[in-house]
Amino acid sequence: DRRPLLSQRTLPSYGKVIQISKNTEWPSYVRTIISDLEPFAADPFLRFFYLYQIIETLMSENFKSELTQIRASFEAQTEISITQLREYVEKFQRIYKEKARINNALQPMCPRSQASAQALLDALGEDHGDDTFGEMIYKVRNIVFHDYQRVHPHAALVAELEEDLLSYILDKKLA
């Protein structure tokens, strides 16, 4: 059948003027995704995929920032003990793991997005009791990317999560 070229959704963030070029460090694809791709994708799974690319960028920015701090602190040491070296290794391990990176990138958490993620994970029968907001988004990402057949019947829940996440990212991360 025919599909609309433009999504028929209206988000609270659509009425806001944002300047995503405020941070000149953002790669050009961030603007392309937010302005040229994501709004025109009618499929919620594709929109989630596009949006997750922005989350990956946020994760990368946080990683670089924290790595710079660790490196500066390490390089400022004239002599380093085994205990101090172990502490630096532990700090590095905390920032390079995927779950830690997404938790750092998605702070502060978004109550609406968290509720949408919980609803989707509940529908999929996934345990999320002790998961943070970032961990739930990461869990949804893994299911959407790697277990598509399982999540396919829940397109409306994916759309709801994606819309909530988009509003959150436009308001809290790219503005």
Short mmCIF file of all heavy atoms in Angstrom, two decimals, residues 19-81:
data_model
loop_
_atom_site.label_atom_id
_atom_site.label_comp_id
_atom_site.label_asym_id
_atom_site.label_seq_id
_atom_site.Cartn_x
_atom_site.Cartn_y
_atom_site.Cartn_z
N GLN A 19 18.27 24.89 18.59
CA GLN A 19 19.47 25.13 17.81
C GLN A 19 20.41 23.96 18.08
O GLN A 19 21.13 23.96 19.07
CB GLN A 19 20.14 26.43 18.21
CG GLN A 19 19.32 27.63 17.85
CD GLN A 19 20.04 28.92 18.20
OE1 GLN A 19 21.10 28.93 18.78
NE2 GLN A 19 19.42 30.02 17.81
N ILE A 20 20.37 22.98 17.22
CA ILE A 20 21.23 21.83 17.47
C ILE A 20 22.67 22.12 17.08
O ILE A 20 23.54 21.33 17.37
CB ILE A 20 20.72 20.55 16.77
CG1 ILE A 20 20.68 20.71 15.27
CG2 ILE A 20 19.37 20.15 17.32
CD1 ILE A 20 20.35 19.44 14.54
N SER A 21 22.91 23.25 16.47
CA SER A 21 24.29 23.59 16.12
C SER A 21 24.98 24.35 17.25
O SER A 21 26.11 24.78 17.11
CB SER A 21 24.32 24.44 14.85
OG SER A 21 23.62 25.64 15.06
N LYS A 22 24.30 24.51 18.40
CA LYS A 22 24.88 25.20 19.54
C LYS A 22 26.24 24.60 19.92
O LYS A 22 27.18 25.29 20.23
CB LYS A 22 23.91 25.11 20.72
CG LYS A 22 24.33 25.82 21.96
CD LYS A 22 23.20 25.67 22.98
CE LYS A 22 23.53 26.36 24.28
NZ LYS A 22 22.46 26.19 25.26
N ASN A 23 26.31 23.28 19.87
CA ASN A 23 27.57 22.58 20.13
C ASN A 23 28.21 22.28 18.78
O ASN A 23 27.75 21.41 18.05
CB ASN A 23 27.30 21.30 20.91
CG ASN A 23 28.56 20.54 21.23
OD1 ASN A 23 29.62 20.78 20.66
ND2 ASN A 23 28.44 19.60 22.14
N THR A 24 29.26 23.00 18.46
CA THR A 24 29.88 22.82 17.15
C THR A 24 30.60 21.48 17.02
O THR A 24 31.05 21.12 15.95
CB THR A 24 30.88 23.95 16.86
OG1 THR A 24 31.84 23.99 17.92
CG2 THR A 24 30.17 25.29 16.75
N GLU A 25 30.69 20.76 18.12
CA GLU A 25 31.32 19.45 18.09
C GLU A 25 30.39 18.37 17.53
O GLU A 25 30.83 17.28 17.20
CB GLU A 25 31.76 19.03 19.51
CG GLU A 25 32.73 19.99 20.16
CD GLU A 25 34.10 19.93 19.49
OE1 GLU A 25 34.58 18.83 19.20
OE2 GLU A 25 34.68 21.01 19.26
N TRP A 26 29.08 18.65 17.46
CA TRP A 26 28.15 17.65 16.95
C TRP A 26 28.50 17.31 15.51
O TRP A 26 28.67 18.21 14.69
CB TRP A 26 26.70 18.12 17.00
CG TRP A 26 26.11 18.31 18.36
CD1 TRP A 26 25.53 19.45 18.83
CD2 TRP A 26 26.00 17.36 19.41
NE1 TRP A 26 25.10 19.27 20.11
CE2 TRP A 26 25.37 17.99 20.49
CE3 TRP A 26 26.39 16.02 19.55
CZ2 TRP A 26 25.10 17.33 21.69
CZ3 TRP A 26 26.14 15.38 20.74
CH2 TRP A 26 25.50 16.02 21.79
N PRO A 27 28.57 16.03 15.19
CA PRO A 27 28.79 15.66 13.78
C PRO A 27 27.61 16.13 12.93
O PRO A 27 26.50 16.28 13.42
CB PRO A 27 28.84 14.13 13.83
CG PRO A 27 29.05 13.77 15.26
CD PRO A 27 28.49 14.89 16.08
N SER A 28 27.85 16.35 11.66
CA SER A 28 26.79 16.86 10.77
C SER A 28 25.62 15.88 10.66
O SER A 28 24.50 16.28 10.41
CB SER A 28 27.36 17.16 9.40
OG SER A 28 27.87 15.98 8.80
N TYR A 29 25.88 14.59 10.89
CA TYR A 29 24.79 13.64 10.75
C TYR A 29 23.72 13.82 11.84
O TYR A 29 22.58 13.40 11.64
CB TYR A 29 25.29 12.19 10.73
CG TYR A 29 25.88 11.68 12.03
CD1 TYR A 29 25.06 11.21 13.05
CD2 TYR A 29 27.25 11.64 12.23
CE1 TYR A 29 25.59 10.73 14.23
CE2 TYR A 29 27.79 11.17 13.40
CZ TYR A 29 26.95 10.72 14.40
OH TYR A 29 27.50 10.25 15.57
N VAL A 30 24.06 14.47 12.95
CA VAL A 30 23.04 14.72 13.99
C VAL A 30 21.94 15.60 13.40
O VAL A 30 20.76 15.31 13.54
CB VAL A 30 23.68 15.36 15.24
CG1 VAL A 30 22.61 15.87 16.20
CG2 VAL A 30 24.60 14.37 15.94
N ARG A 31 22.34 16.69 12.73
CA ARG A 31 21.35 17.56 12.10
C ARG A 31 20.57 16.80 11.02
O ARG A 31 19.35 16.93 10.91
CB ARG A 31 22.03 18.78 11.49
CG ARG A 31 21.07 19.57 10.59
CD ARG A 31 21.61 20.88 10.19
NE ARG A 31 21.40 21.70 11.37
CZ ARG A 31 22.20 22.65 11.78
NH1 ARG A 31 23.23 22.97 11.10
NH2 ARG A 31 21.95 23.33 12.86
N THR A 32 21.25 15.98 10.23
CA THR A 32 20.58 15.22 9.16
C THR A 32 19.54 14.28 9.76
O THR A 32 18.41 14.21 9.27
CB THR A 32 21.62 14.42 8.35
OG1 THR A 32 22.55 15.34 7.78
CG2 THR A 32 20.96 13.60 7.26
N ILE A 33 19.90 13.58 10.81
CA ILE A 33 18.96 12.63 11.43
C ILE A 33 17.75 13.37 11.98
O ILE A 33 16.60 13.00 11.71
CB ILE A 33 19.65 11.82 12.53
CG1 ILE A 33 20.62 10.81 11.92
CG2 ILE A 33 18.63 11.09 13.40
CD1 ILE A 33 21.51 10.11 12.92
N ILE A 34 17.99 14.43 12.75
CA ILE A 34 16.90 15.14 13.43
C ILE A 34 16.01 15.91 12.46
O ILE A 34 14.80 15.97 12.63
CB ILE A 34 17.47 16.09 14.51
CG1 ILE A 34 18.06 15.27 15.66
CG2 ILE A 34 16.42 17.05 15.04
CD1 ILE A 34 17.06 14.41 16.41
N SER A 35 16.59 16.47 11.42
CA SER A 35 15.77 17.32 10.54
C SER A 35 15.36 16.67 9.22
O SER A 35 14.31 17.00 8.69
CB SER A 35 16.50 18.63 10.26
OG SER A 35 17.72 18.38 9.58
N ASP A 36 16.16 15.76 8.70
CA ASP A 36 15.87 15.21 7.37
C ASP A 36 15.38 13.75 7.38
O ASP A 36 14.69 13.34 6.45
CB ASP A 36 17.12 15.27 6.48
CG ASP A 36 17.56 16.70 6.21
OD1 ASP A 36 16.73 17.62 6.34
OD2 ASP A 36 18.74 16.89 5.88
N LEU A 37 15.76 12.98 8.36
CA LEU A 37 15.41 11.56 8.35
C LEU A 37 14.30 11.20 9.32
O LEU A 37 13.24 10.69 8.93
CB LEU A 37 16.65 10.70 8.66
CG LEU A 37 17.79 10.80 7.66
CD1 LEU A 37 18.99 10.01 8.15
CD2 LEU A 37 17.35 10.33 6.28
N GLU A 38 14.51 11.46 10.58
CA GLU A 38 13.59 11.03 11.63
C GLU A 38 12.16 11.55 11.44
O GLU A 38 11.23 10.76 11.52
CB GLU A 38 14.17 11.42 13.00
CG GLU A 38 13.66 10.58 14.16
CD GLU A 38 12.33 11.05 14.67
OE1 GLU A 38 11.89 12.17 14.35
OE2 GLU A 38 11.70 10.28 15.40
N PRO A 39 11.96 12.82 11.15
CA PRO A 39 10.57 13.30 11.01
C PRO A 39 9.81 12.68 9.84
O PRO A 39 8.59 12.65 9.85
CB PRO A 39 10.72 14.81 10.79
CG PRO A 39 12.08 15.14 11.27
CD PRO A 39 12.91 13.91 11.04
N PHE A 40 10.51 12.18 8.85
CA PHE A 40 9.86 11.66 7.65
C PHE A 40 9.71 10.14 7.66
O PHE A 40 9.19 9.57 6.71
CB PHE A 40 10.62 12.12 6.40
CG PHE A 40 10.59 13.60 6.25
CD1 PHE A 40 11.64 14.38 6.73
CD2 PHE A 40 9.52 14.25 5.66
CE1 PHE A 40 11.62 15.75 6.62
CE2 PHE A 40 9.48 15.63 5.54
CZ PHE A 40 10.54 16.39 6.03
N ALA A 41 10.17 9.49 8.70
CA ALA A 41 10.07 8.04 8.78
C ALA A 41 8.74 7.67 9.41
O ALA A 41 8.45 8.04 10.54
CB ALA A 41 11.23 7.48 9.60
N ALA A 42 7.91 6.96 8.67
CA ALA A 42 6.61 6.55 9.18
C ALA A 42 6.71 5.32 10.08
O ALA A 42 5.88 5.11 10.94
CB ALA A 42 5.65 6.27 8.02
N ASP A 43 7.76 4.52 9.92
CA ASP A 43 7.91 3.29 10.67
C ASP A 43 8.54 3.57 12.05
O ASP A 43 9.63 4.16 12.12
CB ASP A 43 8.81 2.32 9.90
CG ASP A 43 8.95 1.00 10.60
OD1 ASP A 43 8.02 0.19 10.52
OD2 ASP A 43 10.00 0.79 11.25
N PRO A 44 7.89 3.18 13.15
CA PRO A 44 8.42 3.48 14.48
C PRO A 44 9.76 2.79 14.77
O PRO A 44 10.58 3.32 15.52
CB PRO A 44 7.34 2.99 15.44
CG PRO A 44 6.54 2.02 14.66
CD PRO A 44 6.62 2.45 13.23
N PHE A 45 10.00 1.64 14.18
CA PHE A 45 11.26 0.94 14.40
C PHE A 45 12.42 1.70 13.74
O PHE A 45 13.49 1.81 14.31
CB PHE A 45 11.18 -0.49 13.87
CG PHE A 45 10.10 -1.30 14.54
CD1 PHE A 45 8.89 -1.51 13.90
CD2 PHE A 45 10.28 -1.81 15.81
CE1 PHE A 45 7.88 -2.24 14.52
CE2 PHE A 45 9.28 -2.54 16.44
CZ PHE A 45 8.07 -2.75 15.79
N LEU A 46 12.16 2.23 12.56
CA LEU A 46 13.17 3.03 11.88
C LEU A 46 13.43 4.33 12.64
O LEU A 46 14.57 4.75 12.81
CB LEU A 46 12.74 3.32 10.44
CG LEU A 46 13.72 4.14 9.60
CD1 LEU A 46 15.08 3.46 9.51
CD2 LEU A 46 13.13 4.36 8.20
N ARG A 47 12.35 4.96 13.13
CA ARG A 47 12.53 6.18 13.93
C ARG A 47 13.34 5.90 15.19
O ARG A 47 14.20 6.69 15.56
CB ARG A 47 11.17 6.79 14.30
CG ARG A 47 10.45 7.41 13.11
CD ARG A 47 9.30 8.30 13.54
NE ARG A 47 8.42 7.75 14.54
CZ ARG A 47 7.27 7.13 14.29
NH1 ARG A 47 6.86 6.96 13.04
NH2 ARG A 47 6.52 6.69 15.27
N PHE A 48 13.08 4.75 15.84
CA PHE A 48 13.86 4.39 17.02
C PHE A 48 15.32 4.18 16.64
O PHE A 48 16.22 4.61 17.36
CB PHE A 48 13.29 3.13 17.68
CG PHE A 48 13.99 2.77 18.97
CD1 PHE A 48 13.60 3.35 20.16
CD2 PHE A 48 15.04 1.88 18.98
CE1 PHE A 48 14.25 3.05 21.35
CE2 PHE A 48 15.70 1.57 20.16
CZ PHE A 48 15.30 2.15 21.35
N PHE A 49 15.56 3.53 15.50
CA PHE A 49 16.93 3.32 15.02
C PHE A 49 17.63 4.67 14.82
O PHE A 49 18.75 4.86 15.28
CB PHE A 49 16.91 2.53 13.72
CG PHE A 49 18.26 2.46 13.04
CD1 PHE A 49 19.25 1.62 13.50
CD2 PHE A 49 18.52 3.26 11.95
CE1 PHE A 49 20.49 1.58 12.89
CE2 PHE A 49 19.75 3.23 11.32
CZ PHE A 49 20.74 2.38 11.79
N TYR A 50 16.97 5.59 14.16
CA TYR A 50 17.56 6.92 13.95
C TYR A 50 17.85 7.59 15.29
O TYR A 50 18.92 8.16 15.49
CB TYR A 50 16.62 7.82 13.15
CG TYR A 50 16.53 7.51 11.68
CD1 TYR A 50 15.32 7.64 11.00
CD2 TYR A 50 17.64 7.12 10.95
CE1 TYR A 50 15.24 7.39 9.64
CE2 TYR A 50 17.56 6.85 9.60
CZ TYR A 50 16.36 6.99 8.95
OH TYR A 50 16.28 6.74 7.61
N LEU A 51 16.89 7.55 16.18
CA LEU A 51 17.06 8.20 17.47
C LEU A 51 18.19 7.57 18.27
O LEU A 51 18.93 8.27 18.95
CB LEU A 51 15.74 8.13 18.25
CG LEU A 51 15.64 8.97 19.50
CD1 LEU A 51 15.94 10.43 19.19
CD2 LEU A 51 14.26 8.83 20.10
N TYR A 52 18.34 6.27 18.16
CA TYR A 52 19.42 5.62 18.91
C TYR A 52 20.79 6.06 18.39
O TYR A 52 21.75 6.07 19.15
CB TYR A 52 19.29 4.09 18.91
CG TYR A 52 20.08 3.50 20.04
CD1 TYR A 52 19.54 3.45 21.32
CD2 TYR A 52 21.39 3.06 19.87
CE1 TYR A 52 20.27 2.97 22.38
CE2 TYR A 52 22.13 2.57 20.93
CZ TYR A 52 21.56 2.53 22.18
OH TYR A 52 22.30 2.07 23.24
N GLN A 53 20.87 6.47 17.14
CA GLN A 53 22.13 7.00 16.63
C GLN A 53 22.49 8.29 17.36
O GLN A 53 23.67 8.55 17.61
CB GLN A 53 22.04 7.25 15.11
CG GLN A 53 21.77 6.00 14.30
CD GLN A 53 22.72 4.87 14.64
OE1 GLN A 53 23.93 5.01 14.51
NE2 GLN A 53 22.19 3.76 15.08
N ILE A 54 21.50 9.08 17.72
CA ILE A 54 21.74 10.30 18.49
C ILE A 54 22.19 9.92 19.90
O ILE A 54 23.12 10.54 20.45
CB ILE A 54 20.48 11.19 18.54
CG1 ILE A 54 20.00 11.56 17.12
CG2 ILE A 54 20.72 12.43 19.40
CD1 ILE A 54 21.00 12.31 16.29
N ILE A 55 21.56 8.92 20.49
CA ILE A 55 21.97 8.45 21.82
C ILE A 55 23.42 7.97 21.78
O ILE A 55 24.20 8.26 22.69
CB ILE A 55 21.01 7.36 22.34
CG1 ILE A 55 19.63 7.97 22.60
CG2 ILE A 55 21.56 6.70 23.60
CD1 ILE A 55 18.54 6.96 22.91
N GLU A 56 23.79 7.26 20.73
CA GLU A 56 25.19 6.81 20.57
C GLU A 56 26.14 8.01 20.54
O GLU A 56 27.22 7.97 21.11
CB GLU A 56 25.36 6.00 19.28
CG GLU A 56 24.73 4.63 19.31
CD GLU A 56 25.63 3.57 19.93
OE1 GLU A 56 26.81 3.85 20.18
OE2 GLU A 56 25.13 2.46 20.15
N THR A 57 25.73 9.08 19.88
CA THR A 57 26.56 10.29 19.82
C THR A 57 26.69 10.90 21.21
O THR A 57 27.78 11.31 21.62
CB THR A 57 25.95 11.30 18.84
OG1 THR A 57 25.87 10.70 17.55
CG2 THR A 57 26.80 12.56 18.75
N LEU A 58 25.59 10.95 21.95
CA LEU A 58 25.63 11.47 23.32
C LEU A 58 26.55 10.61 24.19
O LEU A 58 27.32 11.14 24.99
CB LEU A 58 24.22 11.49 23.93
CG LEU A 58 23.21 12.43 23.29
CD1 LEU A 58 21.82 12.18 23.86
CD2 LEU A 58 23.63 13.88 23.49
N MET A 59 26.49 9.31 24.00
CA MET A 59 27.35 8.40 24.76
C MET A 59 28.82 8.68 24.43
O MET A 59 29.67 8.69 25.32
CB MET A 59 26.99 6.95 24.45
CG MET A 59 25.64 6.53 25.01
SD MET A 59 24.98 4.98 24.34
CE MET A 59 26.26 3.82 24.68
N SER A 60 29.11 8.90 23.18
CA SER A 60 30.47 9.17 22.75
C SER A 60 30.98 10.48 23.34
O SER A 60 32.12 10.58 23.78
CB SER A 60 30.53 9.21 21.23
OG SER A 60 31.80 9.59 20.79
N GLU A 61 30.14 11.52 23.34
CA GLU A 61 30.53 12.82 23.89
C GLU A 61 30.85 12.70 25.37
O GLU A 61 31.84 13.25 25.84
CB GLU A 61 29.43 13.85 23.66
CG GLU A 61 29.24 14.24 22.22
CD GLU A 61 30.47 14.91 21.64
OE1 GLU A 61 31.06 15.78 22.29
OE2 GLU A 61 30.86 14.54 20.52
N ASN A 62 30.00 12.00 26.12
CA ASN A 62 30.26 11.82 27.55
C ASN A 62 31.54 11.04 27.78
O ASN A 62 32.31 11.35 28.67
CB ASN A 62 29.08 11.11 28.23
CG ASN A 62 27.93 12.04 28.50
OD1 ASN A 62 28.02 13.24 28.33
ND2 ASN A 62 26.81 11.48 28.91
N PHE A 63 31.76 10.01 26.97
CA PHE A 63 32.97 9.19 27.12
C PHE A 63 34.21 10.05 26.91
O PHE A 63 35.15 10.01 27.70
CB PHE A 63 32.95 8.02 26.13
CG PHE A 63 34.22 7.21 26.14
CD1 PHE A 63 34.45 6.30 27.15
CD2 PHE A 63 35.17 7.38 25.15
CE1 PHE A 63 35.62 5.54 27.18
CE2 PHE A 63 36.35 6.64 25.17
CZ PHE A 63 36.57 5.72 26.18
N LYS A 64 34.21 10.85 25.83
CA LYS A 64 35.37 11.70 25.55
C LYS A 64 35.63 12.69 26.68
O LYS A 64 36.78 12.90 27.07
CB LYS A 64 35.17 12.47 24.23
CG LYS A 64 35.37 11.62 23.00
CD LYS A 64 35.41 12.49 21.76
CE LYS A 64 34.09 12.47 21.08
NZ LYS A 64 34.02 13.24 19.85
N SER A 65 34.58 13.27 27.20
CA SER A 65 34.71 14.24 28.29
C SER A 65 35.31 13.59 29.54
O SER A 65 36.24 14.12 30.15
CB SER A 65 33.34 14.83 28.60
OG SER A 65 33.40 15.63 29.74
N GLU A 66 34.77 12.44 29.92
CA GLU A 66 35.27 11.77 31.12
C GLU A 66 36.67 11.22 30.91
O GLU A 66 37.49 11.25 31.83
CB GLU A 66 34.29 10.67 31.55
CG GLU A 66 32.99 11.24 32.09
CD GLU A 66 32.09 10.20 32.71
OE1 GLU A 66 32.61 9.21 33.26
OE2 GLU A 66 30.87 10.37 32.63
N LEU A 67 36.95 10.73 29.72
CA LEU A 67 38.29 10.23 29.43
C LEU A 67 39.32 11.37 29.52
O LEU A 67 40.42 11.18 30.05
CB LEU A 67 38.34 9.58 28.05
CG LEU A 67 39.68 8.98 27.63
CD1 LEU A 67 40.09 7.87 28.60
CD2 LEU A 67 39.60 8.43 26.21
N THR A 68 38.96 12.53 29.04
CA THR A 68 39.85 13.70 29.11
C THR A 68 40.17 14.03 30.57
O THR A 68 41.32 14.31 30.90
CB THR A 68 39.21 14.91 28.40
OG1 THR A 68 38.99 14.56 27.03
CG2 THR A 68 40.08 16.14 28.49
N GLN A 69 39.17 13.97 31.43
CA GLN A 69 39.38 14.25 32.85
C GLN A 69 40.30 13.20 33.49
O GLN A 69 41.21 13.55 34.24
CB GLN A 69 38.05 14.28 33.59
CG GLN A 69 37.17 15.45 33.23
CD GLN A 69 35.79 15.34 33.85
OE1 GLN A 69 35.51 14.46 34.65
NE2 GLN A 69 34.92 16.25 33.46
N ILE A 70 40.06 11.93 33.19
CA ILE A 70 40.90 10.86 33.75
C ILE A 70 42.33 11.02 33.25
O ILE A 70 43.29 10.93 34.03
CB ILE A 70 40.33 9.47 33.39
CG1 ILE A 70 39.01 9.23 34.11
CG2 ILE A 70 41.33 8.37 33.73
CD1 ILE A 70 38.26 7.99 33.65
N ARG A 71 42.48 11.27 31.97
CA ARG A 71 43.83 11.42 31.38
C ARG A 71 44.57 12.60 32.00
O ARG A 71 45.75 12.49 32.34
CB ARG A 71 43.74 11.58 29.87
CG ARG A 71 45.11 11.73 29.22
CD ARG A 71 45.02 11.85 27.72
NE ARG A 71 44.64 10.55 27.19
CZ ARG A 71 43.92 10.37 26.10
NH1 ARG A 71 43.49 11.40 25.41
NH2 ARG A 71 43.63 9.17 25.69
N ALA A 72 43.89 13.73 32.16
CA ALA A 72 44.53 14.91 32.74
C ALA A 72 44.97 14.63 34.18
O ALA A 72 46.09 15.00 34.57
CB ALA A 72 43.58 16.10 32.70
N SER A 73 44.14 13.99 34.93
CA SER A 73 44.49 13.64 36.31
C SER A 73 45.67 12.67 36.34
O SER A 73 46.59 12.83 37.14
CB SER A 73 43.27 13.03 37.01
OG SER A 73 43.61 12.59 38.30
N PHE A 74 45.64 11.69 35.46
CA PHE A 74 46.72 10.69 35.40
C PHE A 74 48.05 11.35 35.00
O PHE A 74 49.08 11.10 35.61
CB PHE A 74 46.36 9.59 34.40
CG PHE A 74 47.40 8.51 34.27
CD1 PHE A 74 47.55 7.55 35.26
CD2 PHE A 74 48.23 8.47 33.16
CE1 PHE A 74 48.51 6.56 35.14
CE2 PHE A 74 49.20 7.48 33.04
CZ PHE A 74 49.34 6.52 34.03
N GLU A 75 48.01 12.19 33.99
CA GLU A 75 49.23 12.83 33.51
C GLU A 75 49.80 13.84 34.51
O GLU A 75 50.99 14.14 34.47
CB GLU A 75 48.98 13.50 32.16
CG GLU A 75 48.77 12.48 31.05
CD GLU A 75 48.35 13.09 29.72
OE1 GLU A 75 48.04 14.30 29.68
OE2 GLU A 75 48.32 12.34 28.72
N ALA A 76 48.96 14.33 35.42
CA ALA A 76 49.43 15.28 36.43
C ALA A 76 50.23 14.59 37.54
O ALA A 76 50.94 15.26 38.29
CB ALA A 76 48.24 16.03 37.03
N GLN A 77 50.14 13.28 37.62
CA GLN A 77 50.86 12.51 38.64
C GLN A 77 52.33 12.40 38.25
O GLN A 77 52.65 12.05 37.12
CB GLN A 77 50.28 11.10 38.77
CG GLN A 77 48.83 11.04 39.17
CD GLN A 77 48.62 11.43 40.62
OE1 GLN A 77 49.48 11.24 41.47
NE2 GLN A 77 47.47 12.03 40.89
N THR A 78 53.22 12.72 39.19
CA THR A 78 54.64 12.55 38.92
C THR A 78 55.08 11.13 39.26
O THR A 78 55.86 10.53 38.53
CB THR A 78 55.49 13.56 39.71
OG1 THR A 78 55.13 13.47 41.10
CG2 THR A 78 55.25 14.96 39.20
N GLU A 79 54.57 10.62 40.33
CA GLU A 79 54.80 9.22 40.70
C GLU A 79 53.46 8.62 41.03
O GLU A 79 52.61 9.26 41.63
CB GLU A 79 55.74 9.11 41.91
CG GLU A 79 57.17 9.50 41.60
CD GLU A 79 58.09 9.23 42.77
OE1 GLU A 79 57.82 8.30 43.55
OE2 GLU A 79 59.07 9.98 42.90
N ILE A 80 53.29 7.38 40.65
CA ILE A 80 51.99 6.75 40.86
C ILE A 80 52.18 5.40 41.54
O ILE A 80 53.05 4.62 41.16
CB ILE A 80 51.22 6.63 39.52
CG1 ILE A 80 49.79 6.24 39.76
CG2 ILE A 80 51.89 5.68 38.58
CD1 ILE A 80 48.87 6.53 38.60
N SER A 81 51.36 5.16 42.54
CA SER A 81 51.43 3.88 43.25
C SER A 81 50.55 2.86 42.56
O SER A 81 49.71 3.21 41.71
CB SER A 81 50.97 4.07 44.70
OG SER A 81 49.56 4.31 44.74
#
